Amino acid sequence: MLTAHKIKILQSLDQKKFRQKYNLFLVEGNKTVKEIPSSEYKIKEIFSVNPGSLSVETSLITEILPSELKKISFLQHPKDSVAVCELKEERILENDGVQLILDGIQDPGNLGTIIRLADWFGISQIICSEDTVDFYNPKVIQASMGSFLRVNLVYKNLESYLSNCDSAIIGTDMDGESFYDYNFPKKFNLVLGNEGNGIRPEIEKLLTDKITIPRFGKSKATESLNVSMATGIILGQIFNKK
């Protein structure tokens, strides 16, 4: 039953403190909701305007009206279903190849897109600085298009974590070596910095190498690339060489 109290709780899940308080987050849209049972995430309940369109355990589903869906959705144009899921216990995987390190990424759309790129290129883990945007943020979940189900995210003190790393730490920098010429090792950490400030100085000190995407355009009007756009370009080159 979608009571006024339940609506209030679900609406509060757009804030990190309430996601942590209730240990819950929302996933919207049938396509992604259908993928959850085959992941490590546990569905607590589903609210849907069309329950018959979901191939999920029926005891979890409550049919609701489109007007009710609008109240609990974080989308401007709500889709068909909203799944209420439990937060996953954080655990770190052993890095056996390419691992992304995010230093202070703030934009939810950027993080969601980077998660999607990691999934596309078969990168199983992303290590985030403690001030990186929360990946259970509804905008991150939406932008990842279901890829959050397949990529492990961990929040760490990056200075401490990278200081104990036994593999190369490669960072993006305007003054770095062209990534077209750089010989990427089989196992390494790729550090991507904050949208406005780049990689912070204490992390930059730990880099073993710096790479850059060379500019071919003559105009100097474009100062830099969006971090998620740069990630896609770099990963395409890395895996093209493998």
Side-chain angles (χ1 to χ4, degrees), residues 3-240:
T3 61
H5 178 64
K6 179 63 68 70
I7 290 170
K8 188 176 180 181
I9 290 173
L10 298 181
Q11 288 175 338
S12 75
L13 298 180
D14 68 332
Q15 295 181 57
K16 184 178 179 179
K17 65 179 180 180
F18 289 111
R19 290 193 291 272
Q20 292 178 331
K21 177 182 176 179
Y22 297 115
N23 199 46
L24 299 172
F25 72 105
L26 297 188
V27 178
E28 302 199 41
N30 277 0
K31 184 180 180 299
T32 306
V33 171
K34 287 177 183 176
E35 295 177 21
I36 299 171
S38 59
S39 75
E40 293 183 351
Y41 288 93
K42 185 180 178 183
I43 298 174
K44 189 175 181 184
E45 51 193 334
I46 298 170
F47 298 100
S48 178
V49 296
N50 185 13
S53 62
L54 287 167
S55 51
V56 182
E57 190 182 326
T58 52
S59 64
L60 296 169
I61 306 172
T62 298
E63 186 170 3
I64 59 172
L65 298 170
S67 58
E68 292 177 302
L69 181 67
K70 202 169 178 65
K71 289 179 183 177
I72 62 172
S73 172
F74 296 127
L75 300 175
Q76 193 169 0
H77 302 290
K79 298 191 177 180
D80 23 49
S81 305
V82 170
V84 184
C85 300
E86 295 179 7
L87 303 185
K88 190 177 69 172
E89 190 176 338
E90 201 173 81
R91 64 185 177 89
I92 195 160
L93 308 174
E94 186 179 342
N95 178 23
D96 58 358
V98 182
Q99 182 169 259
L100 300 184
I101 309 289
L102 306 185
D103 183 17
I105 301 298
Q106 295 299 300
D107 183 80
N110 280 337
L111 179 55
T113 302
I114 291 170
I115 293 169
R116 197 174 174 190
L117 284 164
D119 185 27
W120 182 264
F121 286 101
I123 295 171
S124 58
Q125 183 162 263
I126 299 174
I127 307 293
C128 304
S129 63
E130 292 165 323
D131 62 345
T132 289
V133 60
D134 180 33
F135 92 96
Y136 289 115
N137 179 307
K139 291 178 181 176
V140 176
I141 297 295
Q142 201 61 37
S144 80
M145 300 293 285
S147 288
F148 77 94
L149 298 168
R150 295 174 290 276
V151 179
N152 189 51
L153 267 82
V154 184
Y155 287 76
K156 290 279 186 187
N157 177 305
L158 290 190
E159 193 173 3
S160 172
Y161 176 78
L162 292 173
S163 295
N164 293 296
C165 263
D166 59 356
S167 52
I169 303 167
I170 302 165
T172 52
D173 188 281
M174 295 295 280
D175 298 320
E177 180 183 350
S178 167
F179 78 141
Y180 292 116
D181 302 325
Y182 183 77
N183 188 22
F184 289 95
K186 285 188 176 180
K187 179 181 173 182
F188 64 92
N189 299 283
L190 177 64
V191 184
L192 302 154
N194 172 270
E195 290 90 343
N197 302 316
I199 298 169
R200 70 192 83 198
E202 58 265 37
I203 303 303
E204 193 174 356
K205 288 176 189 172
L206 300 170
L207 299 179
T208 53
D209 291 288
K210 294 179 183 179
I211 58 167
T212 192
I213 301 170
R215 186 205 306 260
F216 290 96
K218 292 180 182 177
S219 167
K220 302 294 181 185
T222 303
E223 292 181 5
S224 61
L225 291 171
N226 170 284
V227 65
S228 57
M229 186 188 297
T231 303
I233 294 169
I234 293 168
L235 292 181
Q237 178 67 6
I238 289 169
F239 287 93
N240 178 50

